[in-house]
Structure formats: structure tokens, C-alpha cells
Amino acid sequence: MNAPDNSRIVYLDYAATTPIDAAVLEEMTGCLRESASYGNPSAIHIAGRRARWKIDAAREDLARLLGCSARCLVFTSGATEADNLAIIGAARFRAHRGRHIVTVSTEHKAVLEACAALAKEGWDVTRIDPDTDGLVSPEALADALRPDTQLVSIMHVNNETGVLQDIARLGRLCRERDVLFHVDAAQSVGKLPIDVGDWPVDLLSLTAHKFHGPQGVGALYIADRAGCGVVPLLHGGSQERRLRPGTPALALIAGLGAAARIASGRMASDLVHVRRLHDRLLGGLAGLEGIRRNGSVTSNYPGIVNISAAGVEGESLMLALEPVCVSSGSACNSQSGEPSFVLKALGRTDREAQAAIRFSFGRDTHADDVDFALRRYVAAVTRLRALAPGQAA
Amino acid sequence: MNAPDNSRIVYLDYAATTPIDAAVLEEMTGCLRESASYGNPSAIHIAGRRARWKIDAAREDLARLLGCSARCLVFTSGATEADNLAIIGAARFRAHRGRHIVTVSTEHKAVLEACAALAKEGWDVTRIDPDTDGLVSPEALADALRPDTQLVSIMHVNNETGVLQDIARLGRLCRERDVLFHVDAAQSVGKLPIDVGDWPVDLLSLTAHKFHGPQGVGALYIADRAGCGVVPLLHGGSQERRLRPGTPALALIAGLGAAARIASGRMASDLVHVRRLHDRLLGGLAGLEGIRRNGSVTSNYPGIVNISAAGVEGESLMLALEPVCVSSGSACNSQSGEPSFVLKALGRTDREAQAAIRFSFGRDTHADDVDFALRRYVAAVTRLRALAPGQAA
Amino acid sequence: MSDTSRAVALGPYSAAVRRYFAEPAHGGDPDPGAGNVWTAEASEPASGAIIRLSVTTAGRRIRAMRYRVFGCPHLIAALERCCERFEGESLESLAEFDLVELMRALQVPVDKTVRMLLIEDVIRSVCKLAGRPGENETGT
Amino acid sequence: MSDTSRAVALGPYSAAVRRYFAEPAHGGDPDPGAGNVWTAEASEPASGAIIRLSVTTAGRRIRAMRYRVFGCPHLIAALERCCERFEGESLESLAEFDLVELMRALQVPVDKTVRMLLIEDVIRSVCKLAGRPGENETGT
Ligand SMILES: Cc1ncc(COP(=O)(O)O)c(C=O)c1O
Ligand SMILES: Cc1ncc(COP(=O)(O)O)c(C=O)c1O
């Protein structure tokens, strides 16, 4: 009685987590099903060797996607751990040289709070504010760099707005000053071309579940060059070059490898598809007044579209959108009801931030899904505005 | 040509990792397959709520297995992370009270190296040596405790020898002195009855893949009492009461829950089965001379049997045992070739330690498997001894 | 549908809240010239919530109630339910409005109590305007 | 069987090492009274490896070679291969024993080189005992 029928879900929350690819699932269930013949990869017996071989193959697959050597990749439990390992690990690695790090106020919490943890331990942290489009200018970064700066952490694609930073240019600035450069690429790996061989990047974080792999596994790329390294956060065991001990999760790592392999093959066509959906969504919103896109309209990943509508309250808008699954700001913020700090950094008011809706989509999204969401959104905004008192509009 | 046919594997390396239970696999593939309708559990939409509900249910299942409240459980990526979070986290939590911790020289590397990391940060670490049976006496623990001791870490079942400590008794000593007590129960959870409601234990680590769950997920139990707590190692996001941020790995956690549920139901019968296999194995070795069991013969988990044979070399013994998958010492040590520090702490010579074989088995092991392994073992030891020069015997 | 899957489907909103939210019959402004109209407004700066309640009376009888709202689903549903309940009733019964009972009926989470008090505020104001201060009877 | 699954199945042991290890034909002590027997022993304390090589000669011809060993599979296989190779040959050819060639043939990992040198040691000793120092010719 009266529970909504949510059997038809329209899932437009790809930036939170993506549906797993069928081939990834197959790879994983294969490993899980034969878990006795794939043993603990540390063991020297045949089952252990099989597991180790699988892990090596997955590392190669991921290395191919990123354009790096497999040696440079450390598997982690996700981007949160990779971000922490990169930031806290690299800061400790370079502590003897100086204790200043630079980041941006619109980074993911995993980066900001890792920096905050370092601040408590005595590091100086500068948080650059991006411009109102969400972009970090090379000038702003140059201004923030100091002689004692050891690390800069700037994300590739913002998880709330889709804003895309000019990593190559920002990275060159870091190289010139011999500062390590960490990039949180959780939202771009597998979706946008990345070549760390070509990029002036020292550390790069990723997580499988944002590109059709499983939740609970990610990786940190650590450039193989002098002065670059991390001190581990976890201890025990010699796995992952001692940088990340613990029995490697074979099925997860194989799943990450498969997701990387698939992404290598279809990134270009996925991106064409996503761009079409993006244009369709924006086209459908063109008739609605009082709509504002949050983040840059020129430099973004098209699979994330963040929209604020004047005169509507966020929580009611979310309910009115059901069964369309979207986020209001970052997934991490959705439960607290707090206005998104990312949108506030872009100059939005509390109310604009709270009423922001993040549509995010990808490989498996149909034009129908976008159309359905559009109809719901336009109807919901119209209805809630009609209900609101004049001064709220 | 000449590659061994290892299609018949006899897997007796359960202490390294266990085959996944069919029902666990089904639970996991269900979650993975419907990953779009189970979204990111942090999201407020229906997919997020579904995921959150699954995670809550898994937490309840695990809580039931351990006899604790679900509130006290924090999911991690495995026992390595749980050990590190327990030891480093609790030490930092209590740092203002004192900086001495106590552990045992035969603990898992995750514990020993977490303690070593604290030692580098200025903590005093006492490592108790067990007796030659591998047991820690209450007297030895009492002697090690100091007024400034904050934490004691002692494992329940040793991963190399199966030695079972008297946790209740050791824990009472800690309680009397208001010292936190951490137990690494990676090798016993799901196999031996544990009731943390009844036990004087403050922190307890576990990992799913040691009891027929997936690799890459574990948990830390943190008692809900004054003076007990941990400072997180990873930062960002409010998941797991801020003690362990990152997108929770739904399928893994559901798999851990299912493994816990299954273990609750069949622990007693599994244990009877394992004890029978244990007796069968030891009976079959009775005729072989120069054999020595490593660890206590009275206080152990019967699913781990560690045997040293005089006069045989370890690496050759391992190869001669193929296709029986066993470990020589800890899985972590198998690749390095170093003699096991655990066996050395029990008074074994380098040579005895290197020639030690750990047979470990469980729920899915057949008597046939044990018989096959026995035949191989007896034949291998006999053959290698026949080849050895006199003085090596 | 099992209890859990129902609870999961509903989320933080009871079936009643969902029903009122989906089909609000009393949103909008009062019909002009239908009687005496008493209007009150209240807002909560923290969440930005604003509500405006208009009560049209003929004598001591409530002919119509209309509201406008910028707020969360619980607030919308609560207003809707109030209007449904008190239309056709006397101003005296409106003065006896019971917020606790309303929140219970709609299963509004306690952390929204402050926001819900806006409804009590506007009802009091309306009753006062309509010449029948109901302060002593309300809120119990 | 694919190349990878073969490599995985073999592990750190080449097919040749596995074959020699599985069926060592020359393990044990020399037949008493079959000729002159020259025996040498060597050990590596680090790994505890010990080998003893006995060469039975008739004139300059090697009639039989036997070994005893406490050591890893590579060491066993290498001894076995030596015996197979040099039985029936002259002491001169034994003196020209080439460790590098042996290790290559068996694909012995380089980190076992020190242990493998035990074989060179006992062969030199045996050659010396048999009155034909081979130092200058060996090991190149
Ligand atoms: C006693 C003990 N503690 C900790 C661990 C670490 O568990 P994991 O590798 O799943 O992190 C293991 C197994 O490797 C173990 O046997
Ligand atoms: C930009 C960014 N960084 C880091 C993370 C953390 O990834 P995970 O939750 O898989 O650890 C996310 C996603 O939650 C993200 O979007």
C-alpha cells in the first residue's frame, strides 16, 4: 500500500557508481567460482601462481589504459585510499625537504581531509579557490607555490560539476619547480584519454566502480622518477612492493583489469555517446527559465551535468524526480543535507547549492532515460515553483 | 611438453585463503549484476537506499556471528587494514595516556609491522616470546604490562601453527589494568565460537576470505565502552562512522555477511569435520620417523597442522608435494625463502623451519584429499631423505 | 512487497507524506471574494523554508485553506494535511491544532521539528488575526 | 596448453628441472668395487645445502657418477644432469664442465648462482683427486 513502485529505476547517478559491465562480471565470477584453484597470490604453489598471474595480467591491462609501466601501479581498496596514500604518503616521503602542500577547495573530501590530517601534523596547506567556472588558473597555482612546496593535488574531473582541469599545463608548472603533482582521476579514468607517460603527473588515483568495474578496488599510479615516492599507510606483508600489504583481492583486481581493457577499446565511442546525451539533456532544459549550469560550459566531462533551478527546494525536487536516481551535489553530501561546498566555492548561495541536481550518465544510458528524466525534472520544477510563495522564486 | 598437469589440485591451503561458498557467490553476483539498482549507499535515492539496506543487513549478520551490536563493526578491506586500524588507531587514540604497547613475537606481520611503525613514532613496544608450544602464559603477559601500557595485541589462532591462545584469560588481565586488548581473529572467525559480548576484548580483526567469503573485505570490532576507540587511518567521507571512508564495496560486504550467516549455522558441524581430518592426517603421519608437529598439541585449531620433517629440504619438499597446495610457513613468507620467524620463535632451527609444511583444510576438504596429500608427503620425505647425505638426516 | 523492500522503497518518507506530496490539493492562493481571508507567513532561515497560510472564513467556519511553501516534502505534506483536516471545521478547532499528533501521523523525523513549528506559528497567527487567540489550547 | 598457463603450471622450475627432479637416476652411493671412486663434498651454510659427488673411474674414463644432496630442486636437477652428461666420458671432459651452460640449459634463476657453484666445487675437487687438476679449463 502506497509504497512507490520503483521497479522502473532510471539511473542517472554514474558519477556516484556505475553499473558493472557484463564482461567484468564474468571475469570476476570466474575468479570467485574457482577460488580454490586461484589461491592466495603470495603462495608458491600452482594455485598461488595462477592468482599471481591473473593479478599481473590485470596490472598490465590497467597500465595500457594509462600509458604507463605496470611497475608503477599499486592496487588499493579504491580512490579514497589511493588519495590518502598519495597525499599523506608523498608528504611524508618528502617531509625532510619541506612541509607545504597545495590543493583546491573543490577537491573530493578524500583529498581535502587527507590534507587536513597533514595540517594537524604540522604541514602548511594552501587551498586555491577556483574561478566561478570551477577552473584553476595556472596563475593561481603559480601564486600558491612556495620554495618549500612538496606536493600539489588537483583533480582531473570534478565529481559534482564535471569541470575538467588543464592537467598538462598545471603539471608543467609543478615540474618546473620540482614539486610532486597528484591528480585524482577517479571521475575520468576509463572515460577520457589519459596518458601518464605524456603528462607531467607523478601520482594519479583511480577507482574501478566509476568505470564499470567493481566497488572496493582502485589503484595509485606512482611515477618511476627520482624524488617521487610514498611512505605506506598500512604495514605488514610484502604485497604491492610493500606499499599496500594485505592479501590481494583477486576477483576485484581481475575486475578492475577487465574494466580497463574494455575502456581501452571503447572509450572513443562511449564519449561520442555521452556527448550526445549531454546535448540532449541541455537541449531539453533550454525551455525552462531560471536554470543555471554549475561549472564550466567549455571545459568539462559531458557525462556530468549539474543544474541549479531557482525557486525550488532541493529535497522536494529530489523526491519529485523519483524514480530518477540522481544526486544533489556530491554523493557524500546527499545525506547530510548540507549545501555542497563545491558549489558554494563556485559562488552559489546555500539555496542554489541545495537545489542543484547532478545528472550523470554513461555507456549504458539510453536517450529514453534522459528524456524520461527531463520530463520529470521540468514537471517537478514547474510544480514546485507553482507551490512556492512569490519571494522564494 | 613437460608442464605438469595440475588440473587435479588438492588444495590444503585454507589458512592462506578459502574457497568461496556457493551461497556467498550467489549473493555477491546478485549485487554485482544489479549494480545499477544497488547504487552508491551514500545516495538518498532508491538505489542508494537499497545498497544501504544490504549493508546494514550484512552488518547484522556479522554482529550475530560475533555476539556484538552491529554498531560496533567497521568494514575494512581485510584483516591487514583492520589490524593496522586497531593498533595504530587505538595507540593514537590513547597516546595522551601513555605510549607503551605489548604484542607477541609470533603475531601476523600486519600486527608486528603496525607495532614497528608505532615504534618509529616513539612508542615503546614489548614483544613477548611464547613458550616452545607457541602459547603465551598469563604470567608472561602480566610481566610485560606497565603503568603506561595502552594496548595489548595477541592473536586468537596462529596462522602458521594453529596455536590457540587463551584469550579470555589474557583479556581479563588487560581489563584489570585498564589496557585495551586487540585480538587478531583472522584465522578463527567463522570457525571457532567467538562471543565478544562475553570476552574481555576491545578490538577484534577479521577477514572474509579466511571463512569462505571474498578477498578484499574484513572488519574491525570496536567495543562500545569508555576509553576504547580508534583514530582513523584514512580520511574523507563519513562512511563507517568516519572511521573508514570510501564508497563501501556492496558486493564484498554482502558476501562477508553471507559468509557470516553460513558460518553461524554450520560452525559446529564444520568443526567436527575438521577435527576428523586433523586426526586422519596425524594418524597417517604416525608411521613416519623424524616428524615433529610445530605448535601446541593440546591448544590449537585443528584445521591447521604444521609439520617439520628432519633431513629434507623445504623447497624440494614443496615441489615433490605437487599437486598438493600447501604452504611452507606463512603464506607471506613462502616467496622469500626466509625461514619462518614464527617457527624460529618456537625454537626451531633454520633448517627445521624451512622444511616445515603447513597443511590447512576446512569445510570443503574431503578425506580423500587428506589421504592423497599424506601419500605424497610420505613418499616425498622418504625419497628426499634417501637422496640426502648422511649428515643431513 | 516485503516489509523491508517497502521500507527501502519509501525511504525517509511515509506513505502518507508521499501521497500528500504527490497530489497537493490545497496549494496556491485563496479565491478572491470568497469570504474573509486571513493570511500568515513564517520562515526558517537555516533551511530557507518559507510557508504562507491563507484561511478563508465565513463567520467562525473555515470555508477554505490554501498554502504556499518553499520547503521539504514533510513540510508540504504537513500543510496539505492541515488544510484537508480543517476545511469545513471551526476556527476553534483550528486553534486546537496539535503539531505532535500531526508529526506522528505523517511519521516526520524529529530532526525536522523546528521546521514543522512553522506550521504552528502560522496557525496561531491566523487564529489571532481572525480574532480568536488560541495560544492557550495549542501545542499540547 | 597456452604459453601462459604452461608458464604458470611450471612456476620457477623449467620442464627440464622438473623432469630431472622427478626421476633422479644417479642419486645414491657408488657401487662398491666397480673401479676407483673419487668423492668430494661441498656445502653452503646460508641455505644449508650439502652435496656429495662420487665419480667411479676406470683409467681416464668415467664409469659411473653418483650424488647425494640436501638442497633445492635446481641443485638436484643440476647434479642429475651432470651425471647423465659425463658418465661414459673422460675425466678431461668433466674438467671442462661449464656451469654457465648448465644453468642456462636448466633455466636456473641467477639468484641461485652461489648455490650452483657447489657443483663446480665438487667437480674440481674430484678432478684434482683423480690426478688431473682442471682449474684452468673450468668455469668459462
Ligand atoms: C592471523 C592473520 N592476520 C591477518 C591476516 C591478513 O589478512 P588479509 O590478508 O585478508 O588482510 C592474515 C591472513 O593473511 C592472518 O592469517
Ligand atoms: C573525484 C573522486 N575522488 C575520490 C573518490 C573516492 O572513490 P572511492 O569511494 O571509490 O574510494 C570519488 C568517488 O567517490 C571521486 O568522485
Side-chain angles (χ1 to χ4, degrees), chain B residues 290-369:
Chain B
I291 286 294
R292 173 171 198 175
R293 177 165 188 183
N294 297 310
S296 169
V297 292
T298 52
S299 182
N300 55 50
Y301 165 64
I304 299 178
V305 176
N306 194 312
I307 299 289
S308 287
V312 293
E313 194 269 349
E315 192 185 333
S316 284
L317 182 55
M318 282 291 284
L319 179 57
L321 282 171
E322 276 191 9
V324 178
C325 294
V326 289
S327 277
S328 56
S330 164
C332 313
N333 294 340
S334 317
Q335 277 187 78
S336 68
E338 287 281 293
S340 149
F341 69 88
V342 170
L343 300 181
K344 292 197 70 181
L346 269 51
R348 299 297 172 273
T349 63
D350 277 7
R351 203 181 273 185
E352 284 172 323
Q354 261 157 342
I357 294 291
R358 177 185 70 183
F359 298 91
S360 57
F361 38 83
R363 188 184 289 171
D364 303 318
T365 310
H366 290 282
D368 279 358
D369 299 328

